[in-house]
Amino acid sequence: MIRVMIERRCLPGKEARLRELLVQIRAAAMRRVGFISGETLRSADDPSLFLTVGTWTTREAWKAWDTTPSGGR
């Protein structure tokens, strides 16, 4: 099992749109083989800073997801 952490910043005032996109990305990831779980954290000090933590069965499963157009990044 591996955990992947992705830090994202958004423009001020665009936080709600980013949250919507992250929900869509997670929904797509949930349909992928190897996806275990995911969560998104938001900085208490900087509302434009988000951290997504994904848990995958293997590095290969993550890489397969990451290289798709709707993938992790």
Side-chain angles (χ1 to χ4, degrees):
M1 175 174 59
I2 68 162
R3 290 214 168 168
V4 178
M5 293 177 273
I6 301 171
E7 183 178 282
R8 292 182 172 92
R9 289 196 177 271
C10 67
L11 295 172
K14 300 291 184 177
E15 295 88 359
R17 179 65 182 137
L18 178 58
R19 282 193 307 268
E20 291 171 12
L21 293 171
L22 293 174
V23 167
Q24 292 173 14
I25 291 169
R26 182 168 301 118
M30 290 172 68
R31 294 187 294 270
R32 295 297 297 244
V33 172
F35 181 78
I36 297 172
S37 68
E39 68 179 317
T40 298
L41 308 170
R42 185 174 181 187
S43 171
D45 298 325
D46 181 355
S48 70
L49 179 61
F50 292 78
L51 178 69
T52 301
V53 181
T55 305
W56 294 81
T57 54
T58 64
R59 182 179 179 95
E60 293 74 23
W62 157 250
K63 287 293 185 185
W65 163 252
D66 192 38
T67 58
T68 64
S70 61
R73 301 196 192 261

